[in-house]
Amino acid sequence: MDSAQEDASSTDVFLVTANVGSLFEDPERLLQLWLSEFLAKIARAQPRFLALHLQEVGGKTYEKSMEYVQEFIRCLCDAPEMGDFTCVHIFMDEDFKSAEHFTALGSLYFVHKDVDSLKIWNFLTHSWEESLQDIKDKHIYSGNIETIATKEKSKFPQHFFPECKWSRKGFMRTRWEINGTVIDLVNIHLFHDASNLAACENFPSVYCKTRRRALVHTIERFHLDEQNGTVPFFLFGDFNFRCDTEGVVKELTENLTPHRVQNVKNENDKIHYRNSTGNNVLTVGKKEFSHADHQLKFKEDWLKKFDRELEPLKDVLVEYPIKFVPSYPFEEDPEMPTDYMSTRCPAWCDRILMSPQVNEIIQGDDWTYGMIGEAVCMGDHKPVYLTVRLKPNKGPANPTAISKLPEGLANLVNQALNDESLWMEQSVVDDSSASHSSAAKSRYILMKKGTTASPCKEDPDEAGALAAKSDGLDTESAMLLKETTV
């Protein structure tokens, strides 16, 4: 087949990743907004194969959100824009009572009636499902989907989790043969940054290392899968990739003075970075990251150089250039659709990556990598999409495992699994040491209800807290803060 024929018979593929947790926290305001914007995008693109990977389906309280999850699926499937997608396969991991298996992942696939040839892989029989009745029509799997053979799903091992607190993180994989070309589509959700203060101590942070280990573990698993073999794959989901927070803070605070404020009661530390006139320019707390020019500063080009989590994986994962603003954390208010929350440093958490072998099966110069809903509230994560054109008849019909790991991946495996410091760090993450120094000067401030702050003691040691009490100050009805100039 010459290049012109190949181009004409290529399949338009539309891949989307979306963390939808916040939709189900406020479904009455956000659900229809999200669906309307998503469906409008699909109507304009008119793909022949649509893959939608969802994370945090149902939000934090799945048992209370199940009815909205069902409504979400029904609205999506019944929408006029989806009328020509005659083949639907939906995998919704909804068994929230199973701590061992629950990932809150949803993988939804819609195939246009014009697709000539389609197969889906059976991970139990290690062969293709070729019967039309097993492939065509609507197949919606929800609840406990552990026994569904046309997907592979795994929660990450408990010892991978920061502080060994098991949460809903893992991956779900499906395999498709579309007009003779085989691809794996993998939905993934990695660990978040629990504390901004810990994240800005160094790079890579303990959270970054934990994400990398889980990601390397997943890719290694695919490469060594002898029964199902190895094929080109797209890996898209909420990677929770964060900017090099240490580098970002240094960039933003040049010529500023840090002042640590510590709440003595609950150890809720914050660091205020102030200019020469005493104005706060940047505040960093465990769950606060606020800049004086917050809504413009993080949409500028300078931030992209701190998007570094993929650097060590460049030999095993590739990505098209990012031309959109950070996808997280946006305000969840429909009146503020383009504003970032001041909880985290904005970052490109939501990504669409691929194995290097994908380049051999797609039209290399025909792609779009972007964001859905730039001007509409889509929750705290904006969906990210990639369009590509899949060449026909690129196989392999009978996938086989590789004999050994590629050198780059083998090196990453050794680094990730033998990093003893990570095993120690992940269970003892401590914010309290951030930005401390032997020359620090502290003072205690009593914040009373309905009053402005006034300094109670200027004392460089813990005696200040005791002194405040000895002066008869009512610390039960007020908040005692310790401010440290570092």
Side-chain angles (χ1 to χ4, degrees):
M1 181 183 297
D2 61 36
S3 58
Q5 289 177 310
E6 191 174 71
D7 185 63
S9 55
S10 293
T11 305
D12 293 326
V13 174
F14 195 100
L15 311 177
V16 187
T17 178
N19 183 316
V20 291
S22 59
L23 299 188
F24 296 99
E25 305 296 325
D26 190 4
E28 293 182 357
R29 288 204 305 169
L30 299 183
L31 212 57
Q32 290 304 321
L33 269 178
W34 193 99
L35 284 165
S36 177
E37 190 70 10
F38 174 78
L39 290 168
K41 187 69 176 180
I42 299 306
R44 290 192 296 271
Q46 296 189 335
R48 292 303 179 257
F49 186 98
L50 166 63
L52 172 60
H53 284 178
L54 306 177
Q55 305 83 40
E56 292 291 345
V57 174
K60 295 182 178 67
T61 54
Y62 203 104
E63 58 273 27
K64 296 179 182 178
S65 307
M66 288 183 68
E67 62 178 293
Y68 294 108
V69 175
Q70 299 306 317
E71 179 188 352
F72 178 87
I73 295 173
R74 180 185 58 77
C75 290
L76 200 55
C77 291
D78 294 347
E81 295 88 342
M82 307 296 283
D84 287 336
F85 293 98
T86 54
C87 171
V88 178
H89 284 252
I90 295 176
F91 306 87
M92 304 293 287
D93 184 7
E94 297 178 329
D95 190 12
F96 58 87
K97 293 181 179 178
S98 173
E100 184 181 356
H101 299 295
F102 183 47
T103 63
L105 294 174
S107 296
L108 297 79
Y109 305 99
F110 302 85
V111 188
H112 197 276
K113 62 183 180 182
D114 289 347
V115 172
D116 295 327
S117 171
L118 183 73
K119 299 176 185 177
I120 189 169
W121 187 259
N122 185 312
F123 287 94
L124 288 182
T125 63
H126 318 300
S127 61
W128 294 107
E129 297 280 0
E130 300 187 55
S131 170
L132 283 179
Q133 62 265 31
D134 291 336
I135 302 173
K136 296 291 184 181
D137 300 324
K138 290 182 181 178
H139 302 265
I140 301 177
Y141 307 105
S142 58
N144 184 325
I145 61 171
E146 298 306 311
T147 60
I148 304 302
T150 47
K151 65 92 191 73
E152 178 192 29
K153 181 176 73 71
S154 180
K155 194 168 184 172
F156 295 126
Q158 187 168 9
H159 65 272
F160 274 29
F161 286 74
E163 301 177 353
C164 292
K165 293 180 180 177
W166 221 353
S167 60
R168 299 169 291 181
K169 302 294 190 294
F171 73 86
M172 178 153 56
R173 171 169 69 147
T174 59
R175 177 173 296 173
W176 301 84
E177 185 185 281
I178 305 166
N179 289 333
T181 298
V182 179
I183 53 172
D184 276 356
L185 301 176
V186 186
N187 190 353
I188 194 165
H189 193 187
L190 297 178
F191 316 105
H192 67 284
D193 281 14
S195 166
N196 294 323
L197 292 169
C200 68
E201 286 183 356
N202 48 55
F203 182 84
S205 70
V206 60
Y207 310 117
C208 173
K209 291 179 184 177
T210 306
R211 285 190 285 272
R212 188 183 304 166
R213 181 173 59 173
L215 187 51
V216 168
H217 160 83
T218 303
I219 300 169
E220 179 194 26
R221 175 171 171 158
F222 297 156
H223 276 284
L224 298 181
D225 188 344
E226 294 183 359
Q227 293 180 308
N228 295 298
T230 304
V231 304
F233 62 81
F234 290 90
L235 182 62
F236 50 117
D238 179 4
F239 292 85
N240 261 313
F241 287 162
R242 305 302 168 98
C243 293
D244 168 6
T245 315
E246 179 192 29
V248 169
V249 170
K250 285 182 179 178
E251 177 93 0
L252 293 175
T253 60
E254 188 177 1
N255 300 323
L256 302 182
T257 305
H259 301 261
R260 173 179 288 272
V261 175
Q262 179 180 356
N263 183 332
V264 177
K265 280 188 179 180
N266 61 18
E267 299 180 349
N268 184 18
D269 289 14
K270 291 183 183 180
I271 303 174
H272 299 293
Y273 294 89
R274 296 172 183 161
N275 60 21
S276 58
T277 59
N279 295 322
N280 281 349
V281 177
L282 178 70
T283 297
V284 181
K286 183 175 183 178
K287 294 186 178 180
E288 180 177 357
F289 198 96
S290 178
H291 191 270
D293 191 18
H294 201 79
Q295 298 313 325
L296 295 177
K297 195 68 177 175
F298 299 106
K299 294 173 183 174
E300 297 171 354
D301 291 341
W302 69 271
L303 187 62
K304 194 69 189 71
K305 67 185 176 186
F306 295 103
D307 176 42
R308 300 177 53 199
E309 286 208 32
L310 267 178
E311 286 178 358
L313 297 137
K314 63 182 184 300
D315 292 334
V316 295
L317 289 172
V318 296
E319 180 181 31
Y320 285 110
I322 292 177
K323 302 296 184 183
F324 48 89
V325 300
S327 62
Y328 170 87
F330 281 92
E331 291 282 0
E332 299 164 11
D333 184 345
E335 301 299 318
M336 307 166 68
T338 63
D339 285 2
Y340 288 114
M341 291 190 282
S342 56
T343 52
R344 308 286 184 187
C345 176
W348 291 270
C349 292
D350 310 278
R351 314 284 274 259
I352 301 178
L353 313 178
M354 60 200 104
S355 63
Q357 294 75 25
V358 165
N359 287 322
E360 301 168 10
I361 62 172
I362 60 175
Q363 301 287 352
D365 58 349
D366 198 351
W367 56 271
T368 308
Y369 193 24
M371 179 185 285
I372 299 176
E374 293 95 334
V376 175
C377 182
M378 307 291 280
D380 57 349
H381 290 256
K382 298 279 191 188
V384 168
Y385 74 94
L386 174 68
T387 66
V388 293
R389 304 202 70 207
L390 196 66
K391 296 177 182 178
N393 302 313
K394 293 296 179 181
N398 298 299
T400 57
I402 59 175
S403 56
K404 67 175 183 177
L405 291 179
E407 183 178 356
L409 180 57
N411 290 336
L412 286 167
V413 169
N414 291 332
Q415 292 171 18
L417 299 184
N418 296 320
D419 186 352
E420 292 185 8
S421 65
L422 177 58
W423 295 84
M424 295 168 62
E425 287 174 22
Q426 72 166 356
S427 57
V428 213
V429 174
D430 180 14
D431 310 325
S432 60
S433 62
S435 297
H436 273 303
S437 76
S438 57
K441 295 181 180 179
S442 301
R443 67 174 182 160
Y444 286 83
I445 302 173
L446 192 70
M447 300 290 290
K448 294 183 179 181
K449 293 179 180 177
T451 66
T452 56
S454 58
C456 299
K457 289 289 175 182
E458 294 203 9
D459 196 316
D461 55 34
E462 296 301 323
L466 297 174
K469 291 185 178 180
S470 68
D471 282 351
L473 295 170
D474 180 12
T475 57
E476 294 302 316
S477 60
M479 183 182 295
L480 184 64
L481 302 178
K482 184 175 79 171
E483 182 181 88
T484 303
T485 303
V486 202

